[in-house]
Structure formats: C-alpha cells, structure tokens
Amino acid sequence: MKIMLLFAAIATLVGPPGKRVPPGKTLTVVATTPDLAAVAREIGGDLVTVTALAKPTEDPHFVDAKPSHLVTLNRADVLIEGGAELELGWLPSLLDNARNDKIAAGAPGHVVASQGIKMLEVPTTFDRSKGDVHSLGNPHFMLDPLNVKIIAADIADHLSQVNPAGAGTFKANLAKFNASVDQKLAEWQKLLEPYKGA
Ligand SMILES: [Zn+2]
C-alpha cells in the first residue's frame, strides 16, 4: 500500500504526459522485457528510443516494481508488454499509477504481444497454490522465432498508428527484420535437425 501511495505521489510530481507526438519526433518506447525491447529497436530504428523495465537477469513474472519504472511509464509514448499474465504480478499497479492515457489498455500506444499469438499449454485445471502461474497458456512464446515475426508486425502496426509519418520506415524495418529471421531460421532448423520431435 505504502509503495502505491509513493507511486501516486511521484505521478503527481512528474505531471500529466505530453500531447500526441508531433511528426518527426522520436517515440519513447518502453518494453517490459529486454527481448521485446530488442524487437522494438529493430522495427523502430532511428525513430524510437527503447528501454526495458525488467533486467535480462530478472524473472519476468517477478520484477521488482520501482518508482523509477513509474516515471519511465509516465513519459512513454508506447508500451509493449508480453501479456498472457507474464507481467501480472507487477505491471498492472505500475500502469494504474503512471497516469498515462497514451499507454492505457486499448490505446494505440499499448501493445500486448500475446494477442496475436496462438497460445500453447493452456491449462485445463489451474491452482495458484500449487505454484501454477500460466493460467492463460505459456507466455514465454518469444522463444519461438516464428512468434517473434508476428510480434514484430504487431509492433510495426502500433508504432505506425502512433506516428503515421514513420509508417514507411517501420514497414521497411519490419521487412528487413523478417528477412534476417528467415535467414537465421534456415540455419537454426539445420542445427536442430537431429532433435526433431524432441
Ligand atoms: Zn512463466
């Protein structure tokens, strides 16, 4: 409770977020995890600055919510989250207290990566007391490069909505990203050939 009051106080200090991004301005993008941030950098290129809330060493389910995260979210033009309860334990309260309409649920500036993904391992029974954390299926879908292509397209779509002037750049960056993933996929599939079906 105390930490939430602190968040609310900081949100007041940093004030309301700025108006809609003028064309040509760099978008401030915040991703919950470093892998999502990496994809956002590929798609956004020079038109974005990207930060990740979770450290690469942190379990994305259990990130320590800090006041600095709140400031980062307050100033963001775009938020990219994994979704499917990946950040359930820490992001909702931060988002509430960040007071930023641009990244509110349903806003063009809010990307939920899981929305385009066919979820695997959706449980038929679920019990948090037994340590289950994936009630909507496995949210670690970024491990599949094919899913990363879907998410990259989703990010390009949202960035274009928030900054229509950059749409051409985002589209070109997406094509370049997909081409490099396809090239890598051929290599990876060859490497993993001996483990087919495992
Ligand atoms: Zn998990």
Side-chain angles (χ1 to χ4, degrees):
M1 191 60 203
K2 248 181 192 161
I3 190 87
M4 285 306 128
L5 286 174
L6 179 62
F7 284 173
I10 290 167
T12 312
L13 282 178
V14 293
K19 296 236 161 53
R20 197 189 151 90
V21 184
K25 188 193 170 276
T26 310
L27 290 178
T28 302
V29 177
V30 178
T32 54
T33 60
D35 49 0
L36 289 169
V39 179
R41 282 188 196 101
E42 294 296 322
I43 305 308
D46 296 338
L47 301 181
V48 297
T49 54
V50 184
T51 49
L53 295 176
K55 295 190 192 83
T57 48
E58 274 179 308
D59 180 332
H61 291 297
F62 304 103
V63 172
D64 276 330
K66 296 189 198 95
S68 63
H69 291 154
L70 196 63
V71 177
T72 303
L73 286 168
N74 177 265
R75 293 173 180 166
D77 297 310
V78 176
L79 168 66
I80 303 167
E81 66 163 305
E85 300 191 344
L86 182 70
E87 305 93 341
L88 181 67
W90 56 279
L91 185 63
S93 56
L94 276 174
L95 203 50
D96 277 351
N97 285 285
R99 300 185 185 185
N100 183 347
D101 290 344
K102 288 188 286 188
I103 58 166
H110 189 147
V111 185
V112 182
S114 64
Q115 282 178 352
I117 303 296
K118 187 178 178 297
M119 300 299 291
L120 301 176
E121 300 169 2
V122 180
T124 46
T125 61
F126 184 77
D127 186 352
R128 270 189 217 283
S129 70
K130 287 181 184 157
D132 293 348
V133 286
H134 296 164
S135 84
L136 299 177
N138 190 332
H140 307 286
F141 43 74
M142 287 285 281
L143 296 171
D144 182 342
L146 292 177
N147 281 342
V148 179
K149 286 173 73 175
I150 296 169
I151 293 160
D154 201 15
I155 291 172
D157 177 46
H158 281 265
L159 291 180
S160 301
Q161 287 179 52
V162 179
N163 177 13
T169 304
F170 302 137
K171 198 178 164 190
N173 289 347
L174 177 64
K176 208 169 108 192
F177 179 73
N178 282 338
S180 62
V181 171
D182 287 343
Q183 196 191 346
K184 279 284 169 194
L185 267 175
E187 288 174 33
W188 291 331
Q189 268 158 355
K190 210 169 169 190
L191 272 173
L192 288 169
E193 190 66 31
Y195 307 98
K196 199 169 179 135

